[in-house]
Amino acid sequence: MFAAGDGSRALGGVSVRRRRRTAARTVAVGLGLALLLGTVGSPASPAMADAVTDIFSTGEQPARIAVNPVTNTVFVTSIEGVTRIGGPAGAPAVDAGDRAFDVAVNTVTNKIYISTAGGYVSVVDGATYGPAVRVPMTAEPSVLAVNEISNKIYVGISGGVTIIDGATNATTTVPLTGGAQNIQVNPSTGKAYVLSGGAIKVLDASAQVTASINIGAGGILDLAINKATNKIYYTTLGRYGAGVSVIDGATDTVTGKFSSTSKLGQLAVNKATNRIYVAVDSSSLDGAVKVLDTATLSEIAQVPTSSYVRDIAVNETSNKIYVPTSGRGTTIIDGQDNSSSAVYTGQEPFAAAVNPSTNKAYVVNIESDSVAVIDGSVSVPAKNDFNGDGRADVLARDGAGVLWLYPGNGSGGWMPRTQVGQGWNVMTAMVAPGDFNGDGKADVMARDGGGVLWLYPGNGSGGWQPRVQIGSGWEGMSAIEGIDFRGDGFADVVARDRGGALWVYHGDGNGGWLPRTWVGSGWSDMSEITGVGDFNGDGLSDIAARDGAGALWLYPPNGYGSWLPRQTIGQGWNVMNSLVGPGDFDGDGRADILARNAAGELWLYSGNGGTAWPSASRVGTGWNGMTAIL
């Protein structure tokens, strides 16, 4: 319930935990943007994003994750031990002992291996979750890898690698001067490839070092293996020639390299498509993932991300790649066409793992002590999908108060318009916040001349359910925009009062409100405030604001209830008399902006992800007759 005297009053609501059905990508009303009448282009398939369907709490500072797809169980390490998600009902907690560093699973034997502070590896039976067997190490253990054919477990220690016999728990240690920072095994050949300082050490099935690929101190950043082709890939630092090199597992010699002018980091391989995904360590705020063809060691695409890449996990069954990025978002790459989308998973996504059997991905959030579940079988609806075809649409009001639906065709054009209302000229503000009442359909809010705020629930087929009053006293607000401010999937509203203060009115996901929060002052200097959806691709919807000089600023929420530093995404926008954020209008998975200039021309500014300035294309003329667009 809003406090008395806050400039508006709204119906209260009860906060309940719900499945996150939508990204609530938001759009706001401009002062009068009009849409193209008729059709442009041809229909395209809608771009679908995976949805976050659940979030689980973990121990403090979770870091590593492993999935057993056979038992549909997930294990997450933290300084408090191991959190288990799934498994037998009523089973005891995982006996991890002290602080857990890494976790690995043998799906054949159903045993869990946990490297633990105190100098041992805990072995837990996944059938009973009884007391763990402690296998002592000669030094503190770190990274783990399992060969399920030989039933051997490789444990990185400060002085090399210790190999545990999974049948007897007997150990053999292989001294390596550089320790072990990463271990990849090929069960078919029985070999293990150990990243040890500036070299990759090759251990054969009898635990002998049979080859060494030397680069230089700290020269190798990451290591991945394609077990199907018996190829091993690694990334190198710039001073050693930035790029991705390939090792032939038959000869254990370097046979090729993809050279890069960019710094590269995290690495993953999809053995089903034989493609490499490698993180670009950008010097700007944004990041990227390069997609490489292994046959030619050539670049196929570069997919932008909102920030630095933390991890890369591949679901070979669905051909989707999950990329946690520094900050808040996880980028999802469709391996079929390299399109991408993003979802909010929590604070500081750090690591990811997939269960191809259930088509789910799990993302560890180190700052919010949680694991988010991304379900690849549950799609995030398009923000402005009023007719239920999976594509972003636009509503526009003409001078007579008639409301028109302009169905998008999914590629930046239009299908024939239809009338969906009349008498809307009594409304002084209109906004499309997404799914405000939690029924999975896009809704509209409208303020009348008396300051009453109404919700018009969409019926999912271009029409409306009976309207509901959701507030009064809103005449004091000079701007009303839609946003999913906290990334919880619930549509919120940002409103500016007469004094220039900006408030977020948090939706409860059921058509009601939670208490509002103050998120800034001095916003009266902005001539336009527009909700633009997830413009920078971090999973949280953003606000764009134009100042008096015509500069367009992006204000990304930080997920904590405030803003990240604003960033310029355009200049010269004072020639535009209306802006609107329709969500992903051109079907590339990234939020866009529509703008009308004084000549009545309508321009589509296609978002590129990150904070790159959008590219413009004209999509219509003669739109001065429309008094509102959303």
Side-chain angles (χ1 to χ4, degrees), residues 14-22 52-55 435-440 488-491 507-511:
V14 179
S15 176
V16 297
R17 181 169 178 79
R18 307 166 55 88
R19 288 169 64 92
R20 186 180 176 200
R21 292 179 310 275
T22 78
V52 174
T53 55
D54 218 334
I55 297 178
D435 175 21
F436 187 73
N437 64 358
D439 64 357
D488 57 6
F490 301 156
D508 67 2
N510 290 304

Side-chain angles (χ1 to χ4, degrees), residues 2 13 131 144 190 236 254 304 353 358 364 392 469 481 497 549 585:
F2 295 121
L144 297 169
T236 50
V254 178
T358 61
V364 175
Q469 182 179 338
E481 311 295 333
D497 65 23
F585 190 70

Side-chain angles (χ1 to χ4, degrees), residues 162 166 242 247 286 313 337 400-401:
T162 295
I247 301 171
D286 305 334
D337 58 9

Side-chain angles (χ1 to χ4, degrees), residues 381-399:
K383 185 265 157 202
N384 262 31
D385 179 19
F386 293 104
N387 63 1
D389 65 356
R391 304 179 179 98
D393 307 318
V394 173
L395 294 171
R397 180 185 64 188
D398 65 23

Side-chain angles (χ1 to χ4, degrees), residues 39 101 174 193 217 242 374 414 588 617:
T39 63
F101 295 126
V174 180
Y193 296 83
I374 305 174
W414 314 94
D588 64 356
S617 59

Side-chain angles (χ1 to χ4, degrees), residues 50 269-277 291 313-322 332-339 354 356 359:
D50 299 359
V269 178
N270 186 340
K271 68 176 185 291
T273 62
N274 209 15
R275 288 186 176 179
I276 301 170
Y277 297 86
V291 184
V314 176
N315 186 335
E316 294 178 349
T317 300
S318 66
N319 194 16
K320 289 184 179 179
I321 299 85
Y322 297 86
I332 305 167
I333 302 172
D334 187 331
Q336 182 174 356
D337 58 9
N338 297 315
S339 62
V354 301
N359 198 19

